[in-house]
């Protein structure tokens, strides 16, 4: 990959909490339109990596570039970083007193300073994108977990991000609601969105990922095409992890 094609480039990223080194020198690039799935055991640093890429955590060392801009610089506009790199979490974090449309429109008014009518129009487009236009006026409590998660995805997409980061977004859902959320990510991948997906859904990773990274103890242990990693892992730690999660 040509360095200039990278939407996200992480160079020797370190992150410690006190004397706990959570990220111990991680480097990766994600090309435009690429879907990278990240696998790894609990506590290996997956969420911390994604949070550093959106500056929800401050890196202890190393650099992170989004479309060539160093976002670890002190003078970077954090709001711009968060609009450019959308992140979706396991918890949906929707405002309970706002409708689905209202949740998305509010973010657009606050972050992008859009007018109310413009924000509502774009919010409607993004609800349609995730197949929820008929739920525009529903409150989160009136939506299933899968629907709430799709609203959260639409809220991030409404910022027209350069990349999307997904952190185990189906892990809290009832099993029958997982597919509708995976389908939305599948669709985004096929539309050419640049994505990093932390997931335990091995079928999804095999089918949708262009590349899989296996991380453990804050380093990338192994990376490659899904079939290579899932069928023929080279490292013992990858083999042990996969033996636990694959049937
Ligand atoms: P993963 O997402 O792979 O399960 P995390 O990135 O959430 O792992 O966490 C990696 C390690 O960092 C864990 O040991 C966790 O307890 C620790 N950690 C994460 N966030 C914090 C924090 N804000 N303060 C202290 N320790 C943290
Ligand atoms: Mg995590």
């Amino acid at each position: 990959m040509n360095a200039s094609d990278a939407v996200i480039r992480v160079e020797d990223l370190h992150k410690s909490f006190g004397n706990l080194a959570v990220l111990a020198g991680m480097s990766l690039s994600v090309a435009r339109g690429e879907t990278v799935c990240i696998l790894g055991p609990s506590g290996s640093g997956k969420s911390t990596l994604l949070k550093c890429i959106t500056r929800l955590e401050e890196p202890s060392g190393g650099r992170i570039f989004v479309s060539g801009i160093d976002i670890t610089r002190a003078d970077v506009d954090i709001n711009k970083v968060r609009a450019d790199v959308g992140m979706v979490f396991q918890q949906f974090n929707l405002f309970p007193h706002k409708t689905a449309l209202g949740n998305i429109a509010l973010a657009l008014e606050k972050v992008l300073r859009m007018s109310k009518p413009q924000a509502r129009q774009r919010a409607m487009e993004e609800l349609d994108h995730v197949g929820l236009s008929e739920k525009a006026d529903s409150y989160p409590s009136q939506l299933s977990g899968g629907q709430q998660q799709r609203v959260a995805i639409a809220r991030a997409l409404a910022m027209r991000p350069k990349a999307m980061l997904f952190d185990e977004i189906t892990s809290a859902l009832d099993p029958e609601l997982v597919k509708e959320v995976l389908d939305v990510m599948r669709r985004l991948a096929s539309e050419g969105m640049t994505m990093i997906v932390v997931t335990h859904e091995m079928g999804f990773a095999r089918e949708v990922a262009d590349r899989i990274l296996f991380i453990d103890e804050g380093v990338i242990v192994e990376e490659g095409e899904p079939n290579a990693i899932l069928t023929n892992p080279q490292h013992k730690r990858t083999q042990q992890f996969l033996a636990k999660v694959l049937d």
Side-chain angles (χ1 to χ4, degrees), residues 46-48 167-168 198:
K46 305 180 298 296
S47 295
T48 303
D167 193 1
E168 298 192 30
V198 173

Side-chain angles (χ1 to χ4, degrees), residues 17 20 22 41-48 57:
F17 296 105
L20 177 68
V22 170
S42 178
S44 57
K46 305 180 298 296
S47 295
T48 303
E57 292 286 4

